[in-house]
Amino acid sequence: MRRRTLLLSGAGVVVLAAAVVVAVVVTTGSNEATASGGGIDAPAYVTTETGAPAVERDGAEAPEDRVQADAVPFAESVDYPDGLTVTSEAVDQGTVTATGAGVVTGAPYVVFAVTVHNGTDADVDLTSVVPSLRAGSDAVPSAPLYDDVDVADLDSVVTAGADVTARYAFVVPEDRRDQATLYLDLDGVHAPATFTGSLPR
């Protein structure tokens, strides 16, 4: 599993739910709240005021002419015109039980299962996927969770005709689960796959 370490700057929003305080990144006026993946050649991204983060891969911003697909509700399929399809749904929830430095014990989380089918006629590089979630009526960014939960990145080159699966987790207080949007920025070719709807409580 490729693990990401968030490097945050700019303003923060503190969300209080069930006596758990969770720091969530929001943008400054100049959109300078930045984060970068841990490890060599990991993508970097800037949290925007709305929508998916702006992602850079190998130091370059994504082109404006990426392959587009319509947003869909959770559990439905995002279908790109080149044959790539993506499905995602919330499949688990719980609270963090681990303790230690950097761990928010008791934080409530939701786990998403993701499946990508490569229906194109070429390999698709999914080694730099950036998942992000906004939750609540004010669409606050949710913190990703990699400790104390069963998760696995989309982290492979997928051959034509093959499927690949992953699990991503985010800290989401129960009072923010009526409305959520999951963005999966897969690569520099496809615009983010977008899923919307409510989450289990």
Side-chain angles (χ1 to χ4, degrees):
M1 179 186 75
R2 182 180 70 252
R3 176 174 175 153
R4 295 186 178 86
T5 301
L6 298 183
L7 305 177
L8 308 178
S9 64
V13 171
V14 177
V15 178
L16 178 62
V20 177
V21 178
V22 179
V24 182
V25 178
V26 296
T27 56
T28 62
S30 59
N31 288 336
E32 289 299 329
T34 62
S36 65
I40 299 173
D41 297 326
Y45 57 94
V46 177
T47 304
T48 56
E49 292 183 1
T50 60
V55 177
E56 290 186 359
R57 292 178 173 86
D58 296 327
E61 295 181 359
E64 295 182 358
D65 60 348
R66 287 194 288 179
V67 181
Q68 303 289 321
D70 293 335
V72 301
F74 289 113
E76 293 190 14
S77 176
V78 171
D79 299 322
Y80 292 92
D82 63 358
L84 193 76
T85 63
V86 187
T87 58
S88 180
E89 62 180 324
V91 295
D92 199 4
Q93 60 178 313
T95 56
V96 175
T97 59
T99 59
V103 176
V104 184
T105 306
Y109 64 82
V110 176
V111 179
F112 297 86
V114 174
T115 299
V116 178
H117 171 70
N118 183 5
T120 74
D121 57 4
D123 293 350
V124 174
D125 186 349
L126 299 181
T127 59
S128 61
V129 176
V130 176
S132 59
L133 182 77
R134 289 181 177 269
S137 58
D138 49 359
V140 170
S142 298
L145 181 64
Y146 285 95
D147 292 320
D148 194 42
V149 63
D150 180 19
V151 294
D153 279 295
L154 289 167
D155 191 15
S156 63
V157 176
V158 187
T159 58
D163 293 353
V164 64
T165 61
R167 288 167 61 93
Y168 293 104
F170 294 89
V171 174
V172 188
E174 290 192 359
D175 62 358
R176 290 186 171 274
R177 298 187 185 183
D178 287 340
Q179 184 177 341
T181 303
L182 175 68
Y183 301 98
L184 296 169
D185 194 313
L186 301 172
D187 55 14
V189 176
H190 301 84
T194 303
F195 302 87
T196 63
S198 60
L199 303 177
R201 294 177 181 271

